[in-house]
Amino acid sequence: AHVVAVVNREEIAARPLQTVGNALEGLPNEMVQQTSTAQVSPFLRGLTGYQVLNLVDGIRFNNSTFRSGPNQYLAFVEPSQAERVEALLGPTGVQYGSDSLGGTIHVSTQAPEFGSGGWQRHGSVSLAGATADLSGMAAGRFSISNEKVFWMVGACLILEYSTME
């Protein structure tokens, strides 16, 4: 049996996240190593790098040819685009292959919402700020669709104040 930790959209939107990997902070049996401002490497069962498989919408995002040590590949996935982040703890090699010895992190993005009867538009914006480091974030996504086409665009802007002279 596998232990699964899940972070849903509401939890992701409730706090400003630099990366999708930060969504896993504080979950049982998981550790997140912060290597710089916008780079974290999740550890599942004490393993990281190519021993933890990263999936985005079920598609393999890393493999055994990637860096063996702590890596920051989840930083390429914008947190505001994630609907759900799942961490399957334990060896999931039978299901996903030998490069998932520590476990598997699966990021799910918004499912396409095909419209009926013409073009439909959907969008969302989120804002966050912190007084401790005088930082702020604005993230948004916009989608347009009809019966056969679905397009989605997302962006994030992070502002940080520096006191260095």
Side-chain angles (χ1 to χ4, degrees), residues 14 34 43-44 57 62 71 88 109 129 143 145 151 153 156 158 163 165:
Q34 185 84 31
F43 283 71
L44 305 182
D57 290 332
N62 69 336
N71 61 54
L88 287 79
T109 61
S143 66
S145 64
W151 287 316
V153 175
C156 180
I158 298 173
T163 59
E165 295 179 8

Side-chain angles (χ1 to χ4, degrees), residues 2-7 20 24 27-30 42-62 74 84-108:
H2 297 290
V3 175
V4 179
V6 177
V7 180
V20 169
L24 302 173
L27 295 178
N29 300 315
E30 298 178 36
F43 283 71
L44 305 182
R45 294 183 60 235
L47 298 172
T48 191
Y50 63 68
Q51 297 168 326
V52 173
L53 177 63
N54 297 320
L55 301 173
V56 177
D57 290 332
I59 307 295
R60 186 178 293 267
F61 197 62
N62 69 336
L74 283 177
R84 180 179 169 106
V85 179
E86 301 174 358
L88 287 79
L89 302 174
T92 54
V94 171
Q95 193 170 9
Y96 295 110
S98 62
D99 51 340
S100 60
L101 293 172
T104 301
I105 299 170
H106 187 200
V107 180
S108 299

Side-chain angles (χ1 to χ4, degrees), residues 59-83:
I59 307 295
R60 186 178 293 267
F61 197 62
N62 69 336
N63 59 41
S64 60
T65 64
F66 281 45
R67 182 175 169 207
S68 62
N71 61 54
Q72 298 79 25
Y73 300 117
L74 283 177
F76 294 118
V77 181
E78 171 55 42
S80 65
Q81 306 306 308
E83 288 292 320

